[in-house]
Amino acid sequence: MCGIVGYTGKQQATPILLDGLSRLEYRGYDSSGIAVGSGNGIEVVKAKGRLAELYKRTGDRPEGTVGIGHTRWATHGAPDDANAHPHYSQDRTFAVVHNGIIENYLELRAFLSERGFTFLSETDTEIVPMLLEYYYNGNMLETIIKTRNKLKGSYALGILHAGDGGAFYALRKDSPLVIGLGEGENFIASDMPAVLTHTRRFIIPDEKEIAVITPNGVTVYNRNQEEIEKEIFVSDMSAADAEKDGFAHFMLKEIYEQPGAVKKTIHDRITPDGIRLDRVRLNGAEIDKVCIAACGSAYHAGEVGKYFIEKYARLPVETDLASEFRYRDPILSKNCLTVIVSQSGETADSLAALREAKRRGSRVLAIVNVVDSSIAREADDVLYTRAGPEIAVATTKGYTTQLAVLYLLGLQLAKDRGTVSDREYDALLGALKTLPEQLNRFIDDVNAQAQYLAGKYYPASDAYFIGRGCDWSAALEGALKLKEISYIHAEAYAAGELKHGTISLIEKNSLVLGIATQNDLREKTLSNIKEVRSRGAAVIGISDNPASIAAECDDVIALPETHAALTPVFTAAALQLFAYYVAAARGGDIDKPRNLAKSVTVE
Ligand code: AGP
């Protein structure tokens, strides 16, 4: 989704803004632009397409030491120069960048049109600089408050006003924004990695607070216009965390980072006395239902969690796509634990699901990667996944660390409820402890095979991922990985469901990936593999017992021996690598696939 940067200090703003925007590219965008202030007013430069286009247009200009920049992911209006941000006010004394959606923009556009304002874009954003111009009375704080009070929807805004020297302004509601604190210079950004080369000290503004940012300080005002003290957050991320480190793509780097990320996620949470879930207030014995709501891969992690929690904690688990959750009138109570899973912690639908769950009296536990993100802050409890910054749009370590936390959570619930035997509990904990090392070896081993299989199957036009139980959940994630980066049409089906319709699509050389890791379901899945193979499909089998399915498959990926419940972690790693090499063979933009955004901050 859209990315925002802002700078004020002694240096030229343009190169700093462009560098910040390049670090936000991963969020997904289709145009970009900057606005720089100087004694001559505000100059805006913007361009459709990749940042390289903006670089061409800027050269060394505009000159000035204060500015704001933006990468736009089109929602209202086509991705073109006119709709790219920043947007000027009519008299060009204001320039604004925006992430989010102003829901009442049509009403406000009519209001402003009646008062003589003419719009140059189709965006919802352009009403903001126009409103600022309309309300301007010489006092910027009052002007911003009047404008803010008119806006409905979500926004992170960076505002530049001509004649205000080195000052610029920022505020947010339901969209992410951080303020970076430097020495004699200060920044804003949609997320921390954009400015980590300059600072690791951040202020995170709360909803509707207004920040006035100058080279020498940041002043934050609350909703009542009172100046407030904000806590300074020191990030433990380094700029190097957001570099490729010699890997061809962030996605490959992040696949390889998984063992370390999983280790960091679990190591101090498994103690000699059992599981310790940070400061989470959890009593499994008092919970009568778990609801998991999330989007995309995080939802797929929730699906794996459902099988695990139901099996070991004997609690009913409902899983919802967060975008559906709040509209289905869910039945929640104080004994229901709602779990929101999100790598970014900013996904608009997941945040809305969280608020809905709280509104209905449910306790909310968030499983989140980005520290202090909106979901982390609004949940009653948080378990961080400690994956470190994930830059590639296709999540890898974000997903597997979510699985690790869901396993810990499920086991703790099982222990609280007395539904797991000591033997099983110890076996699972033991398997979890060895998981990072096993995963490390597995990724090293399977990499070459994934490359070979990608070379063989990359021309496929469709792929079907099938499995039963948690293998079906793993299939959902495998199919998403393949389709989002290779653009091959890919679907996941519960293996037993294929013959109820989808099998009619299977023909000679259709690609099927059959996952069979669960002893009690293996024979059933094998029958389904036979059904597609007898209709001409090419089958890649995935199993921890490869011999048991080899005869029915064209190729087999052998998973290591582990506890049956943990196989989705290994399946994920194998399918991530397969998707990565298929996409590489087809020549896609692996880290920034078309149309996608890393952090989906609009509904
Ligand atoms: C998966 O590769 C995607 N990037 C996407 O499905 C993602 O998992 C989803 O948008 C949820 O994001 P979140 O974890 O940041 O909430």
Side-chain angles (χ1 to χ4, degrees), residues 295-298 341-344 347 393-395 402 480-481 484 600:
C295 301
S297 299
V341 187
S342 174
Q343 186 284 129
S344 63
T347 302
V393 164
T395 184
Q402 285 162 356
L480 180 63
K481 280 290 87 74
E484 68 181 331
V600 184

Side-chain angles (χ1 to χ4, degrees), residues 394-596:
T395 184
T396 51
K397 58 179 182 171
Y399 169 80
T400 41
T401 51
Q402 285 162 356
L403 293 188
V405 172
L406 284 160
Y407 289 137
L408 291 175
L409 174 67
L411 261 186
Q412 185 57 44
L413 290 171
K415 190 79 177 163
D416 287 351
R417 297 168 59 76
T419 50
V420 63
S421 67
D422 288 347
R423 204 161 143 258
E424 188 72 274
Y425 181 80
D426 290 343
L428 274 158
L429 272 194
L432 272 172
K433 275 197 259 186
T434 55
L435 182 65
E437 185 44 42
Q438 260 192 311
L439 186 58
N440 201 15
R441 277 200 304 272
F442 177 64
I443 290 174
D444 274 345
D445 291 349
V446 81
N447 183 53
Q449 191 190 10
Q451 233 168 322
Y452 161 76
L453 292 174
K456 183 170 171 186
Y457 294 108
Y458 79 89
S461 52
D462 304 275
Y464 302 90
F465 291 68
I466 61 171
R468 290 169 179 258
C470 67
D471 288 340
W472 175 32
S473 313
L476 288 166
E477 178 56 10
L480 180 63
K481 280 290 87 74
L482 185 66
K483 73 181 126 187
E484 68 181 331
I485 59 169
S486 75
Y487 312 144
I488 292 175
H489 166 245
E491 298 299 335
Y493 279 92
E497 182 64 14
L498 263 191
K499 62 172 91 56
H500 296 284
T502 307
I503 202 164
S504 67
L505 295 172
I506 302 293
E507 53 188 7
K508 192 165 164 33
N509 293 332
S510 296
L511 177 58
V512 174
L513 292 99
I515 308 167
T517 68
Q518 304 298 299
N519 274 339
D520 50 341
L521 299 169
R522 196 183 310 273
E523 281 307 316
K524 303 277 178 200
T525 304
L526 196 54
S527 301
N528 304 127
I529 289 176
K530 285 182 189 167
E531 286 161 8
V532 293
R533 200 137 183 268
S534 64
R535 287 163 177 84
V539 178
I540 302 175
I542 298 159
S543 180
D544 54 341
N545 182 352
S548 66
I549 61 164
E552 300 304 330
C553 300
D554 296 84
D555 292 282
V556 180
I557 297 175
L559 305 183
E561 269 179 43
T562 181
H563 193 291
L566 306 190
T567 57
V569 176
F570 297 94
T571 305
L575 294 180
Q576 291 161 359
L577 283 165
F578 178 68
Y580 172 79
Y581 287 116
V582 168
R586 291 169 73 100
D589 189 350
I590 294 180
D591 284 336
K592 302 183 286 286
R594 68 186 181 205
N595 304 334
L596 292 179

Side-chain angles (χ1 to χ4, degrees), residues 1-2 25-29 73 347 391-394 484 591-602:
M1 296 274 123
C2 305
E25 274 190 289
Y26 77 95
R27 292 171 67 87
Y29 72 105
W73 189 83
T347 302
I391 308 293
V393 164
E484 68 181 331
D591 284 336
K592 302 183 286 286
R594 68 186 181 205
N595 304 334
L596 292 179
K598 180 67 181 165
S599 170
V600 184
T601 49
V602 295

